[in-house]
Amino acid sequence: MASIGGRPETPLDWIVYLEGKLNAQRSAGQKYVDYYDSENKNLQFAQQKFSEIFGGMFTGWRDNFCALIVDSISERLRVQGFRMGPDEPADKDATEIWQRNFLDADSNSAHIDALVQGSSYVTVWGDSDDEPQMVPENAQDVVVQYEPGSRRRLAAAMKQYSDDWGSEHVTLWTPKRVFTTTRLGDGMKWETPSDVKNPLGVVPVVPLNNRSRLRMAPFSELAAILRVQDAINKVSADAIVASEFAAFPQRVISGVESLPDDATDEEVAAARADAVRAYIDRILTLDNPEAKWGQFQAADLSNYVTLIDMLVQHMASQSRVPFHYFLLNGGQAPSGESITAAEAGLVAKAHERMLHFGESWEESMRLAFLVKGDTSKAKAYNAETIWADPEYRSKAALADSLLKMKELGVPIKQLQEEYGYTPTQILRFQAMREEEMKETKRLEEKYGLAPVVGLDGKPVSQGAGQPPARGEAKPKSATDKVASVERQKRAA
């Protein structure tokens, strides 16, 4: 066994050590998961008297904006492909690996979990056909251990999960071996692990960290705004209490004799029967001429609305989510240049997350090529993740800007990528253009039509009624021919 405080030595040492680390990671991350899923049930900042009076009436109450904070970023993070070198187009093999592993959808789930809990993971391994499997994993199931002094190189990684029959399973990865074991229920000891050789020579787990700092663990996107969210829940709960007890005028009658403290049950029942009750079609009268009527005014609930709006504005500023996402200012979304300015902070935030997540996806793809045995692409450290544009713009404005970029000499493929087309769509466009050119040539050979050069420099079919192509002589009329002969005679 490893000494206390020392580095784990045996596989069971590693499993016990990483299990403790995973439990701490689970506890820290579950809080943010509860807020994202709107499962946070404790009403913070409320005094003990509040709970004594209302009990569990407000248990589970929340006016939750946490999902909006995360989703506003994750919906702008869309991987479209990979370049395995700076001078190469989108890699077809990388696209096939990505599609084979359903990562169009699962990558979004990995981004959401990383934004919520601070990290998620990707395990890379080969299936029975030696095809790479890239599987996104939740931080509740996977934990990693870095080599001392390194922020990138992993010493070990572990996945722990339970099946539907109560058994717990563990997979432990080290650079040389992969260990697996099970146990039945909590408190039981792990069975002796079985192991196989790790053919990759590295720990095949890649963390997707949400903007970690150099000497700090990655942190949740919700970490900075939880206290503001708690305050919003508290103030909105106060508003509901006020609406229940003080939002209606309270009527007062003075000068009416009250019952004595020692009144019998019959006297109380009779008094209740004779109590003054107000209805629309009833006129109230009192026998006592000294009795007086009065009324307390209803509470003004707009103060709560003002305070909640202020807290939401603070949340919008801290999270860099535009105000119109929170329906502030009447919920009117800006338009034109104003929406670009309003969303500039969110777009910049999405670009920053692309930097961190892109590095992880590139490393995962290099491991996938290592599984395939492609050592060249497995060492493509100049690989690049192709992201969709996180900025939402009108198609007309975007097309206009791309036409101006074309005049500067930007290639067509790059413009198509900037417009948002995926590498697969761009390849289809190339095949479709070839088919169009073949069809144009076939029609020219069949009908003898002169080719017309289009704006892109490619020949296009010339239909009936079109003007002759540039550089082609215009047919001469009979009058033109006579005038030409006369000019030749005078010249002679």
Side-chain angles (χ1 to χ4, degrees):
M1 295 292 291
S3 60
I4 297 176
R7 183 186 178 102
E9 296 177 359
T10 68
L12 283 177
D13 287 346
W14 274 109
I15 290 173
V16 172
Y17 167 75
L18 291 177
E19 183 181 15
K21 189 174 181 179
L22 179 60
N23 288 335
Q25 181 175 286
R26 286 170 173 170
S27 177
Q30 187 61 46
K31 173 177 64 175
Y32 302 114
V33 173
D34 289 341
Y35 273 85
Y36 178 78
D37 294 335
S38 293
E39 295 295 336
N40 51 306
K41 296 182 179 180
N42 294 327
L43 191 62
Q44 303 291 339
F45 305 128
Q47 298 182 17
Q48 182 64 30
K49 195 69 174 178
F50 189 93
S51 300
E52 293 175 358
I53 295 175
F54 299 106
M57 180 182 298
F58 291 96
T59 299
W61 164 253
R62 54 258 178 189
D63 185 14
N64 193 35
F65 292 97
C66 292
L68 172 63
I69 302 296
V70 172
D71 294 344
S72 63
I73 308 172
S74 67
E75 66 189 13
R76 295 172 183 260
L77 304 178
R78 302 188 304 277
V79 177
Q80 293 191 320
F82 295 86
R83 291 189 187 91
M84 303 311 293
D87 301 325
E88 299 180 9
D91 192 271
K92 295 181 181 179
D93 294 334
T95 300
E96 181 181 353
I97 293 172
W98 188 264
Q99 297 292 339
R100 178 189 288 270
N101 287 279
F102 312 102
L103 288 173
D104 276 344
D106 288 353
S107 63
N108 178 255
S109 301
H111 295 156
I112 291 175
D113 276 350
L115 292 168
V116 172
Q117 300 184 71
S119 62
S120 60
Y121 301 88
V122 181
T123 59
V124 184
W125 201 247
D127 61 12
S128 57
D129 298 324
D130 291 330
E131 292 292 337
Q133 287 184 314
M134 297 172 60
V135 182
E137 304 282 0
N138 192 283
Q140 299 287 309
D141 300 326
V142 174
V143 66
V144 298
Q145 175 64 42
Y146 293 94
E147 289 284 2
S150 175
R151 297 176 52 250
R152 298 288 182 182
R153 191 170 64 255
L154 295 181
M158 187 182 79
K159 178 178 180 180
Q160 180 182 354
Y161 63 97
S162 300
D163 61 24
D164 295 336
W165 297 271
S167 296
E168 287 189 271
H169 302 262
V170 153
T171 301
L172 172 67
W173 293 277
T174 67
K176 294 182 179 180
R177 311 293 296 181
V178 179
F179 303 89
T180 56
T181 185
T182 59
R183 71 179 177 188
L184 289 174
D186 294 333
M188 302 294 291
K189 293 184 178 181
W190 294 104
E191 298 179 0
T192 302
S194 59
D195 66 298
V196 296
K197 181 181 178 181
N198 183 352
L200 303 180
V202 294
V203 176
V205 178
V206 181
L208 273 77
N209 291 330
N210 179 46
R211 194 174 173 246
S212 59
R213 290 163 60 182
L214 292 179
R215 296 194 65 181
M216 292 184 65
F219 53 89
S220 168
E221 203 66 40
L222 305 177
I225 58 96
L226 285 193
R227 300 285 76 83
V228 181
Q229 178 63 66
D230 289 337
I232 292 173
N233 291 342
K234 169 62 168 61
V235 175
S236 57
D238 290 343
I240 292 177
V241 172
S243 69
E244 177 71 16
F245 295 99
F248 302 96
Q250 299 295 313
R251 294 176 177 82
V252 180
I253 302 176
S254 61
V256 178
E257 185 177 355
S258 60
L259 291 175
D261 295 337
D262 57 349
T264 64
D265 293 342
E266 291 76 8
E267 290 174 335
V268 172
R272 288 178 177 174
D274 296 335
V276 176
R277 292 184 175 88
Y279 295 95
I280 296 176
D281 58 347
R282 175 173 293 182
I283 298 176
L284 302 179
T285 61
L286 293 175
D287 294 334
N288 188 349
E290 301 297 328
K292 298 180 181 179
W293 296 92
Q295 176 176 291
F296 293 126
Q297 295 298 319
D300 183 6
L301 300 182
S302 63
N303 294 328
Y304 297 100
V305 177
T306 301
L307 180 54
I308 291 174
D309 283 348
M310 184 201 71
L311 293 171
V312 172
Q313 289 177 14
H314 288 189
M315 178 181 288
S317 298
Q318 294 175 21
S319 64
R320 305 187 74 184
V321 176
F323 287 164
H324 60 271
Y325 276 45
F326 294 92
L327 300 181
L328 294 171
N329 302 324
Q332 294 295 325
S335 59
E337 293 296 329
S338 57
I339 194 170
T340 302
E343 297 186 354
L346 181 60
V347 172
K349 190 175 184 179
H351 276 296
E352 188 179 39
R353 299 306 180 269
M354 290 176 182
L355 288 176
H356 296 272
F357 294 155
E359 289 289 343
S360 299
W361 287 122
E362 291 156 17
E363 177 62 20
S364 300
M365 191 57 68
R366 285 192 288 266
L367 284 175
F369 280 112
L370 185 60
V371 172
K372 289 177 68 70
D374 191 335
T375 56
S376 175
K377 293 180 180 179
K379 296 181 179 180
Y381 295 105
N382 52 1
E384 177 187 5
T385 305
I386 303 174
W387 295 92
D389 189 357
E391 184 176 357
Y392 296 153
R393 292 177 286 183
S394 69
K395 291 186 176 296
L398 180 57
D400 182 64
S401 65
L402 293 178
L403 287 175
K404 294 178 181 178
M405 293 171 62
K406 184 175 183 294
E407 295 176 357
L408 297 176
V410 180
I412 294 294
K413 289 184 179 180
Q414 180 63 36
L415 297 178
Q416 292 171 335
E417 188 176 304
E418 294 281 346
Y419 192 76
Y421 291 119
T422 65
T424 302
Q425 289 175 313
I426 294 174
L427 290 175
R428 286 182 59 238
F429 293 160
Q430 295 176 356
M432 292 166 67
R433 281 198 299 270
E434 290 180 2
E435 290 296 325
E436 290 176 352
M437 294 173 66
K438 290 179 181 178
E439 180 65 14
T440 300
K441 184 177 181 180
R442 185 186 69 81
L443 293 175
E444 291 171 357
E445 292 175 349
K446 183 174 181 180
Y447 298 106
L449 299 176
V452 177
V453 179
L455 295 177
D456 58 355
K458 301 291 192 304
V460 298
S461 177
Q462 180 180 349
Q466 289 183 334
R470 181 178 300 177
E472 181 183 356
K474 181 179 179 181
K476 294 183 178 180
S477 64
T479 304
D480 292 335
K481 292 179 180 179
V482 172
S484 178
V485 171
E486 292 296 328
R487 284 196 299 271
Q488 292 178 3
K489 287 179 180 181
R490 286 195 299 271

